[in-house]
Amino acid sequence: MHEMSLCEGIRGIVEDQARRHGFASVKVLRLEIGRFAGVEKAALTFAFDVVMRGSPAEGARLEILDLPGRAMCYDCGQPVEIDDRFAPCPLCGGGRLMPVAGDEMRIKDMEVQ
């Protein structure tokens, strides 16, 4: 379950930011996760609650924001949104797509006190 290690990385970021900016706790942490990131959201939510114990984010509400998959179609030259890495272009039906977004995961923001 790589979601546990993802949450350990998030904890490190939270602790670093708490030291830098002097906040005591996180109320809400918002993550942006791309459609192709390969993150199991239920497992991530479970791991978040476990890994954040004893940190400034203990008890924080985790909000996950889904980001779409995006690609550039080399057949029609248009940027498009796709649901699957191997899907054809929704505009022209072409199959020469280069994914350009959708595999990211990042902390969007935190509500702290």
Side-chain angles (χ1 to χ4, degrees), residues 22-38:
F23 59 83
S25 66
V26 177
K27 294 171 58 175
V28 180
L29 188 139
R30 290 180 193 85
L31 285 179
E32 293 180 326
I33 300 177
R35 180 179 307 261
F36 309 136

Side-chain angles (χ1 to χ4, degrees), residues 18 21-28 56 58 110-113:
H21 299 287
F23 59 83
S25 66
V26 177
K27 294 171 58 175
V28 180
E58 182 173 1
M110 296 183 279
E111 292 180 23
V112 300
Q113 56 185 22

Side-chain angles (χ1 to χ4, degrees), residues 54-69:
S55 80
E58 182 173 1
R61 185 175 77 240
L62 177 64
E63 293 182 2
I64 297 174
L65 308 169
D66 296 315
L67 298 178

Side-chain angles (χ1 to χ4, degrees), residues 36 68-85 87-94 96-102:
F36 309 136
R70 296 192 184 279
M72 175 59 76
C73 178
Y74 288 122
D75 291 325
C76 69
Q78 297 298 309
V80 294
E81 191 171 305
I82 54 175
D83 293 328
D84 182 274
R85 282 190 182 274
C89 175
L91 298 178
C92 74
R96 296 185 318 139
L97 298 173
M98 171 62 77
V100 295

